[in-house]
Amino acid sequence: MSATDVSRYSPTLVLRRTRVLLTAWHVRRSYRHAEAQAKNERDERKRAELWNKTHVLMARLVCKEMAKLQGLWVKLGQFLSTRVDLVPVGWASELQQLQEAAPPSSAADVRSVLQAELGLRFDTTGMVGCYRQSRGNKGSSSGSNVADGCAVPAPFASFDWQPVASASIAQVHRATLVDGRKIAVKVQHRHAARLIELDIELLRELLNFLRLDGQQQQQQ
């Protein structure tokens, strides 16, 4: 994803919208085809096999797309994978793969988030340096973890850029504070908040598309 802010009309969002709607269209088309086949199949066992095959194939497709989109879509897939009362067993089984589908953000993205959220800046080695702006007393500090031009020491004495764990919205890093305490730092994936906001709108659009398609199907 680019360094620029994610906007409603950015190429990233246009691509996400296109991917979601095309996937929905393909799934709906496949189910209509399966429905037509099932009507012409008298053998109950073969009809069941047809539906099971369709469920698995479509669930694999949706699972693959959700893993690519990440964020809200992975959360939705994880939720549905536990709800066999809402989706067929074939869907729930395939969507279980999303329970671990959370690739970590790069160290560069983590640094960017820390800069934006905590006002930190970094030296050329990538280690945490200091607050970009003084917080509190603007006088000099005698702390050993103070870079040139900084009035306040950074909160971290060290920061492990390799995440301990990564989820769909954020990931966790080990760090040590300047007083020696070991802590865990949860860092949200870059642009995650904005993408979730826009994906919620996209999910509403998808549900509206499915509702209208269902109404047209009933009228036929």
Side-chain angles (χ1 to χ4, degrees), residues 86-123:
L86 297 179
V87 297
V89 174
W91 275 80
S93 178
E94 290 296 326
L95 292 175
Q96 281 288 336
Q97 300 175 46
L98 294 174
Q99 295 294 343
E100 299 181 0
S105 293
S106 66
D109 280 348
V110 173
R111 285 196 294 269
S112 177
V113 172
L114 291 176
Q115 280 182 309
E117 298 297 326
L118 299 180
L120 297 177
R121 71 183 184 187
F122 305 87
D123 60 25

Side-chain angles (χ1 to χ4, degrees), residues 40-74:
N40 296 323
E41 181 56 67
R42 296 183 178 181
D43 189 314
E44 185 176 347
R45 182 182 59 83
K46 290 184 177 180
R47 282 201 304 271
E49 290 177 352
L50 171 65
W51 283 118
N52 289 334
K53 180 180 179 181
T54 302
H55 291 327
V56 170
L57 289 177
M58 292 303 98
R60 286 176 181 172
L61 171 65
V62 171
C63 183
K64 179 180 178 181
E65 294 302 318
M66 284 180 162
K68 290 179 180 178
L69 291 169
Q70 289 294 312
L72 175 68
W73 300 102
V74 170

Side-chain angles (χ1 to χ4, degrees), residues 127-128 145 154-161 173-185:
M127 294 299 292
V128 175
N145 196 32
F156 306 122
S158 66
F159 191 96
D160 187 351
W161 298 106
H173 293 261
R174 293 189 182 94
T176 304
L177 296 176
V178 291
D179 62 7
R181 285 181 294 168
K182 305 290 185 182
I183 63 170
V185 181

Side-chain angles (χ1 to χ4, degrees), residues 116-180:
E117 298 297 326
L118 299 180
L120 297 177
R121 71 183 184 187
F122 305 87
D123 60 25
T124 55
T125 66
M127 294 299 292
V128 175
C130 63
Y131 285 113
R132 183 162 45 218
Q133 296 179 344
S134 173
R135 298 187 178 184
N137 188 352
K138 294 186 178 181
S140 62
S141 172
S142 59
S144 60
N145 196 32
V146 181
D148 293 340
C150 293
V152 180
F156 306 122
S158 66
F159 191 96
D160 187 351
W161 298 106
Q162 184 66 33
V164 177
S166 179
S168 56
I169 306 299
Q171 60 192 47
V172 178
H173 293 261
R174 293 189 182 94
T176 304
L177 296 176
V178 291
D179 62 7

